[in-house]
Amino acid sequence: MSKSWMVRAERDGRLFDAFKEKSAVAIGWNEVGDLSDKKTRKAIADLVTTAWPEMKPQAAAMAAGQLHRFVNEIDVGDMVVTFNPSRRVYLIGEIVGPYRYDTSVDPEDAQYRPVRWHGEVSRDLLSVESRNSLGSISTLFRIPTEVAAELKKALASGQPATIEIAAATTEATEDDLFKSMESRAREFIKDKVNALAWDDMQELVAGLLRSLGYKTRVSEAGPDRGKDIVASPDGFGFESPRIVVEVKHRKGTMGAPDVRSFLGGRHPQDKGLYVSTGGFTREARYEAERANIPLALMDLDELVKSLLEQYEKLDLETQQLVPLKRIFVPGWS
């Protein structure tokens, strides 16, 4: 029976596009070298402890375990999933070849498996249980059978396919458990933000700017000539800095033409902020880098990061758009 695996494209999804374009998944720990002839966990563990003698024993065991799984336990025909936190989509495919040591995906991630990708599934189509199960911060982990079935049904139908999910357990250090809790909580906050109506999303961005000391003017519904919000010290846009904001709250990614259109209506003294909850293409980010005015692109991941950093400074109306509760967990030294 085939198995199902999550291989993270780094925690920020940095390698997602590379995985997709190169038809592969890859993980790091390059210092252990080519593991093609290492068939046991102990043999790999010995290489890990040699490469990183200062690593704590439990962390070294986890690294060795993940490498062993990637090299020896993942089989041709197994399902593989990776996640783009910016676009909030899971990319689903199938392992189509054996392990090899190959830096073609990324110089820092040379442990390589070839993949045939089948398509993407929006995180919104999955049950809360599945989203929670897929929220582990581990680089590599096995996906429960029920979660894999839900992903496959959602891929085939494009519709929610709720299935009763059993609780999943993974090996983890205390540090990893706390980081996992934080990561899962952040993903659920992103779910809440993404579920906002388009006008509430504008108000959320405006509230975030107010928490940074600006006064804001939010455009009425209808044609806005490339600006949804104007933020400035005086609130009218007469005093510098004048930040012009475009907010796109949709599933599709914004491309280079969208960025060029936004830039076309700007004055030389303007600063630009383009918010897209659907993310940006690589070409759009290149376009922003060479813009003739300072321009920042903010996807959903970056929006929520800023929201959490500024949450206590937000006005009450903005906090009510995304109500959050503070919790405390044991600390460690």
Side-chain angles (χ1 to χ4, degrees):
M1 181 178 177
S2 63
K3 304 175 288 294
S4 302
W5 306 90
M6 168 66 78
V7 180
R8 292 245 171 244
E10 300 285 359
R11 291 184 184 177
D12 59 356
R14 178 180 67 87
L15 295 177
F16 183 90
D17 289 338
F19 283 5
K20 190 173 184 178
E21 293 169 6
K22 302 287 186 179
S23 297
V25 289
I27 61 176
W29 295 291
N30 288 13
E31 290 85 344
V32 300
D34 190 341
L35 300 175
S36 298
D37 62 344
K38 306 303 179 187
K39 303 303 180 185
T40 67
R41 185 187 293 245
K42 183 181 184 307
I44 295 175
D46 289 343
L47 291 176
V48 170
T49 54
T50 299
W52 297 281
E54 74 287 353
M55 188 179 289
K56 294 180 179 179
Q58 192 171 5
M62 287 185 62
Q66 292 190 41
L67 284 165
H68 177 65
R69 283 188 156 190
F70 191 82
V71 174
N72 298 312
E73 293 186 10
I74 295 179
D75 294 321
V76 173
D78 282 356
M79 175 178 170
V80 64
V81 179
T82 194
F83 183 55
N84 185 326
S86 173
R87 294 178 49 223
R88 301 175 68 258
V89 295
Y90 295 94
L91 182 62
I92 301 172
E94 175 186 350
I95 299 292
V96 294
Y99 158 86
R100 69 176 185 262
Y101 189 87
D102 187 333
T103 59
S104 63
V105 171
D106 183 73
E108 298 178 2
D109 295 81
Q111 317 297 343
Y112 176 106
R113 298 297 296 257
V115 175
R116 180 186 302 114
W117 296 113
H118 299 316
E120 297 178 351
V121 169
S122 169
R123 179 174 163 86
D124 293 335
L125 295 180
L126 301 181
S127 65
V128 171
E129 292 84 358
S130 284
R131 283 182 264 161
N132 188 52
S133 180
L134 293 168
S136 171
I137 62 170
S138 298
T139 300
L140 167 68
F141 60 91
R142 188 166 175 179
I143 298 173
T145 302
E146 299 87 351
V147 178
E150 185 173 342
L151 283 165
K152 289 177 181 176
K153 287 192 175 184
L155 177 64
S157 66
Q159 300 295 323
T162 304
I163 298 173
E164 186 174 347
I165 307 298
T169 59
T170 57
E171 297 177 4
T173 63
E174 184 181 67
D175 189 14
D176 287 331
L177 286 172
F178 291 132
K179 289 179 179 177
S180 180
M181 290 170 60
E182 181 183 24
S183 175
R184 294 182 190 195
R186 182 165 296 194
E187 287 301 324
F188 281 116
I189 293 169
K190 285 163 65 175
D191 292 342
K192 293 289 187 183
V193 171
N194 198 57
L196 291 174
W198 70 268
D199 51 339
D200 285 339
M201 182 64 71
Q202 282 189 173
E203 294 295 341
L204 180 66
V205 175
L208 181 59
L209 288 165
R210 289 195 297 273
S211 75
L212 294 169
Y214 296 96
K215 296 179 181 179
T216 60
R217 292 174 66 88
V218 179
S219 298
E220 298 289 340
D224 54 25
R225 297 183 180 180
K227 63 178 184 297
D228 294 312
I229 304 165
V230 175
S232 61
D234 64 344
F236 294 99
F238 298 132
E239 294 183 15
S240 295
R242 178 178 185 261
I243 302 174
V244 180
V245 187
E246 178 81 357
V247 180
K248 296 296 185 185
H249 185 30
R250 60 183 68 164
K251 290 186 177 180
T253 54
M254 295 295 104
D258 301 295
V259 174
R260 285 195 294 270
S261 177
F262 172 71
L263 289 169
R266 306 284 67 83
H267 300 296
Q269 72 274 17
D270 286 346
K271 309 287 190 295
L273 173 62
Y274 201 127
V275 181
S276 168
T277 55
F280 298 91
T281 64
R282 186 162 42 192
E283 292 74 20
R285 294 191 181 276
Y286 289 156
E287 195 72 30
E289 288 175 2
R290 61 177 187 234
N292 57 0
I293 66 168
L295 173 61
L297 301 184
M298 178 178 280
D299 58 23
L300 182 62
D301 200 42
E302 292 157 339
L303 174 60
V304 169
K305 180 180 179 182
S306 297
L307 174 68
L308 295 178
E309 289 173 350
Q310 294 295 122
Y311 193 78
E312 293 185 348
K313 297 180 181 178
L314 297 175
D315 53 49
L316 181 60
E317 292 78 5
T318 306
Q319 287 187 351
Q320 288 176 339
L321 293 172
V322 187
L324 301 178
K325 291 183 179 180
R326 179 183 294 277
I327 63 170
F328 296 91
V329 296
W332 65 95
S333 57

